[in-house]
Amino acid sequence: MSTSKRDTRKRIAEYLGQGMSREETYHRLQGGVFSDRNLATIIAASPDPALVDANKWKVRLMRIVSFLQVLLGLFVGWQIGTPIGEGTAVLCSLLMALIPSLMFWGFLRNSINAYNAYILVQLLQIPPQTKMLIDGGWETPVGWAGMAITLSLISYAFGLRRLLFPSMGIFSARSSKDGEYVFA
């Protein structure tokens, strides 16, 4: 039986790496330091190398989009900070690229948290874009293009998240009507 949370996480990675099914891993570690719900969520959030490999081009496209957002953050930060001073330009560039860089790192690690954060950040862009469209951007194709790109990125990230982590619901592992956790 696992004595610590770190040890349990290592065992999950070890068992899944050996090819053990998620259900068997869950039943072996059940009753340890994690509650059943947390254990099921950790197991469901672990990337399956076969699924990552099967969808490698989709994952690569997500990484490319994320890297382009890092570059865009650097550029926009530089443009904002340059009128104030060179040091400010560097600081603004680094700050503007921080969140996209963390997401890019998460995509490199195939972390479900990166997909969740990416979807959340993209969802947070919808209200300002909608306000811009309502305030007179209806005629400009830039406003519509921005909204279309945002909705496309949300759909793509959510679809890829569902492909790579089929056992995950929105926030936790999927469960059946009788409360048992279901692993794909």
Side-chain angles (χ1 to χ4, degrees):
M1 186 62 58
S2 302
T3 57
S4 72
K5 291 182 177 187
R6 179 177 286 168
D7 183 44
T8 302
R9 288 181 188 272
K10 284 181 183 177
R11 285 194 179 195
I12 290 170
E14 187 179 298
Y15 290 160
L16 294 176
Q18 293 172 354
M20 186 181 294
S21 73
R22 293 176 188 278
E23 283 190 39
E24 187 177 344
T25 301
Y26 173 75
H27 290 299
R28 271 203 185 175
L29 297 173
Q30 196 173 12
V33 294
F34 286 111
S35 68
D36 289 350
R37 179 176 184 246
N38 287 344
L39 179 64
T41 300
I42 292 168
I43 292 171
S46 301
D48 184 355
L51 289 174
V52 172
D53 192 46
N55 296 293
K56 65 182 173 186
W57 290 105
K58 294 174 186 170
V59 172
R60 284 181 187 167
L61 180 60
M62 193 74 226
R63 291 173 182 169
I64 289 169
V65 167
S66 180
F67 184 72
L68 290 174
Q69 288 179 332
V70 170
L71 295 177
L72 181 65
L74 288 170
F75 176 74
V76 169
W78 186 266
Q79 295 301 315
I80 291 171
T82 298
I84 301 169
E86 196 171 301
T88 306
V90 171
L91 181 64
C92 285
S93 292
L94 294 176
L95 288 175
M96 293 290 282
L98 179 65
I99 291 176
S101 297
L102 290 173
M103 288 185 205
F104 178 69
W105 178 65
F107 292 140
L108 289 175
R109 294 179 51 236
N110 294 313
S111 169
I112 193 167
N113 293 330
Y115 288 93
N116 292 340
Y118 188 84
I119 292 166
L120 177 66
V121 168
Q122 294 298 323
L123 284 172
L124 291 174
Q125 291 181 13
I126 292 176
Q129 288 178 343
T130 304
K131 184 179 182 324
M132 183 187 76
L133 287 173
I134 291 172
D135 289 346
W138 293 100
E139 299 84 25
T140 63
V142 174
W144 288 106
M147 184 65 83
I149 289 170
T150 299
L151 293 174
S152 298
L153 290 174
I154 291 169
S155 299
Y156 186 78
F158 188 75
L160 186 56
R161 177 190 179 276
R162 297 273 302 179
L163 283 173
L164 297 178
F165 305 97
S167 300
M168 280 296 290
I170 294 177
F171 297 113
S172 63
R174 293 181 187 272
S175 60
S176 64
K177 292 186 193 265
D178 59 340
E180 291 293 316
Y181 292 102
V182 180
F183 298 100

